[in-house]
């Protein structure tokens, strides 16, 4: 994807980022980790496995091939790489979700031409029962939008119905698009806009019970009540500042939100999910995701991190405003 502003922000943010939880302190894999695999340099999607607790699926953005990586959240190490067959050459893979029956859905829906591809793709495959390197045949679906081509980086699959939804990416906010009740491998699958999303969305995740939607961007996030697809805004998410924040997923039990970023040795940061018991979930100071009601401080170290992040955010916001004024001029 073409992201000149995002890359600039990444450079500024790197110095202010907190290090994710170490593997030694993370037994269940849900409290954050660092992706160690040198092959994963552009992690753009993240999905918690239901079948393999503590394992997270991810993939590169582009220029990698038809590969999915299973990462052990307790160590940050890759425990399996899947090679997809039955699909063409991926163009811009941006999201991954787990659907009913432990089916993996992969969204090749990014648009390097700025929203001009006449169609994009979604791939579906069974999650292997055994984690090891394997070749898996996937089903490829052709996707079009009812109101014309657009760029998108966010996909969710309803955990009960299996229906697929996309969110287009626009700096002034986008829309939630609903796919057909069942995707068809023959012909076009037309996605219809059904609700506005007030964010420049880089990923999204549905809670395991299908009741809550978390949408993230580069610098923030929004918590919606799913409400049958008629989204109801509940508040803001506590999204960490990351080099290039690209992904989000609920943990398998729904108690945590994990936020990922592109880059080598990229960190995955864990925060309590909206409504979760902060003390019970082990999030620690400053990690609330409570609908925008604030976050507690936790000592000098946290104050330094937060202070540095605020300064960087102000600089980035100023640069963003300048870029927008230049574009409009």
């Amino acid at each position: 994807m073409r992201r000149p502003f995002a890359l600039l922000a990444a450079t500024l943010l790197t110095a202010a980022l907190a290090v994710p939880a170490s593997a030694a302190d993370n037994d269940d894999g849900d409290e954050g980790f660092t992706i160690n695999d040198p092959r994963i340099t552009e992690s753009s999607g993240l999905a918690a496995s239901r079948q393999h607790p503590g394992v997270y699926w991810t993939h590169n953005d582009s220029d990698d091939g038809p590969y999915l990586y299973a990462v052990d959240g307790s160590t940050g190490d890759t425990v399996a790489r899947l090679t997809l067959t039955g699909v063409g050459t991926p163009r811009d893979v941006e999201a991954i979700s787990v659907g009913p029956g432990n089916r993996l859905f992969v969204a090749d829906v990014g648009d390097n031409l700025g929203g001009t591809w006449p169609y994009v793709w979604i791939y579906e495959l069974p999650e292997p029962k055994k984690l090891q390197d394997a070749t898996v045949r996937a089903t490829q679906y052709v996707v079009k939008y009812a109101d014309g081509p657009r760029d998108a980086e966010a996909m969710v699959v309803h955990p009960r119905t299996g229906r697929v939804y996309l969110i287009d990416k626009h700096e002034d906010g986008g829309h939630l698009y609903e796919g057909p009740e069942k995707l068809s491998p023959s012909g076009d699958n037309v996605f219809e806009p059904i609700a506005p999303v007030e964010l420049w969305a880089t990923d999204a995740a549905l809670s395991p019970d299908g009741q809550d939607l978390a949408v993230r961007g580069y610098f923030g996030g929004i918590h919606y009540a799913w409400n049958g697809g008629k989204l109801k805004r509940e508040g803001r998410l506590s999204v960490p500042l990351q080099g290039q924040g690209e992904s989000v997923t609920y943990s398998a039990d729904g108690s945590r939100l994990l936020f990922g970023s592109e880059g080598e040795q990229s960190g995955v940061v864990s925060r309590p999910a909206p409504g979760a018991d902060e003390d019970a979930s082990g999030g620690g100071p400053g990690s609330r995701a409570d609908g925008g009601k604030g976050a507690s401080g936790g000592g000098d170290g946290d104050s330094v991190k937060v202070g540095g992040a605020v300064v960087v955010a102000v600089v980035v916001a100023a640069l963003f405003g300048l870029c927008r004024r230049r574009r409009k001029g």
Side-chain angles (χ1 to χ4, degrees):
M1 297 295 295
R2 296 179 301 165
R3 303 184 183 96
F5 172 69
L7 293 176
L8 173 61
T11 302
L12 292 171
L13 289 172
T14 299
L17 302 181
V19 177
S22 67
D25 299 327
N26 184 16
D27 292 331
D28 61 5
D30 292 341
E31 296 181 6
F33 54 93
T34 297
I35 297 175
N36 297 321
D37 193 330
R39 297 171 296 183
I40 305 173
T41 59
E42 293 185 319
S43 175
S44 292
L46 198 64
S49 172
R50 311 285 195 265
Q51 188 169 210
H52 305 287
V55 168
Y56 291 84
W57 291 97
T58 190
H59 52 81
N60 282 311
D61 185 339
S62 57
D63 300 324
D64 181 30
Y67 304 120
L68 301 179
Y69 300 84
V71 178
D72 185 343
S74 66
T75 64
D77 295 334
T78 297
V79 292
R81 184 176 83 157
L82 302 185
T83 302
L84 307 189
T85 62
V87 303
T89 302
R91 287 189 300 214
D92 193 354
V93 182
E94 292 289 354
I96 184 169
S97 294
V98 179
N102 298 315
R103 305 286 296 182
L104 297 177
F105 290 79
V106 183
D108 189 358
V109 297
D111 194 333
N112 287 315
L113 298 180
T116 58
W117 293 122
Y119 57 85
V120 290
W121 299 302
I122 289 175
Y123 314 129
E124 181 186 357
L125 64 147
E127 181 183 21
K129 293 182 179 179
K130 185 176 182 180
L131 290 177
Q132 61 184 15
D133 290 357
T135 298
V136 181
R137 186 168 186 82
T139 301
Q140 177 171 293
Y141 304 109
V142 174
V143 170
K144 293 185 176 181
Y145 298 93
D147 48 0
R150 57 204 55 250
D151 185 20
E153 295 191 11
M155 174 187 69
V156 297
V157 180
H158 197 280
R160 295 179 180 173
T161 68
R163 198 160 194 165
V164 182
Y165 299 82
L166 297 169
I167 300 174
D168 63 334
K169 182 185 179 186
H170 193 279
E171 62 185 80
D172 294 322
H175 286 83
L176 176 71
Y177 284 79
E178 182 180 65
E181 186 174 351
K182 183 175 177 57
L183 296 179
S184 171
S186 60
D188 299 333
N189 294 275
V190 179
F191 280 61
E192 303 273 355
I194 60 171
V197 174
E198 306 153 297
L199 194 70
W200 193 11
T202 60
D203 201 11
L206 267 172
S207 59
D209 62 5
Q211 298 299 309
D212 297 278
L213 176 69
V215 184
R216 77 157 300 170
Y218 292 122
F219 309 114
I222 300 177
H223 166 220
Y224 290 97
W226 180 247
N227 195 33
K230 299 177 181 178
L231 304 182
K232 179 183 177 184
R233 180 168 176 156
E234 297 289 342
R236 288 162 43 188
L237 293 174
S238 177
V239 175
L241 289 173
Q242 296 175 298
Q244 189 168 318
E246 287 282 328
S247 58
V248 64
T249 184
Y250 276 88
S251 59
D253 65 3
S255 68
R256 312 286 298 178
L257 281 172
L258 289 97
F259 299 89
S261 175
E262 288 193 6
E264 297 181 2
Q265 293 278 304
S266 61
V268 175
V269 179
S270 177
R271 298 283 169 86
D277 184 334
E278 182 179 349
D279 294 332
S281 59
S287 60
R288 289 181 62 182
D290 58 358
K293 296 179 182 178
S296 58
D300 294 340
D302 286 336
S303 298
V304 170
K305 294 173 188 175
V306 172
V310 169
V311 170
V312 173
V314 170
V315 173
V316 170
L319 288 170
F320 182 44
L322 179 60
C323 290
R324 292 196 65 182
R325 285 197 296 272
R326 285 179 176 176
R327 283 199 299 271
K328 292 180 178 179

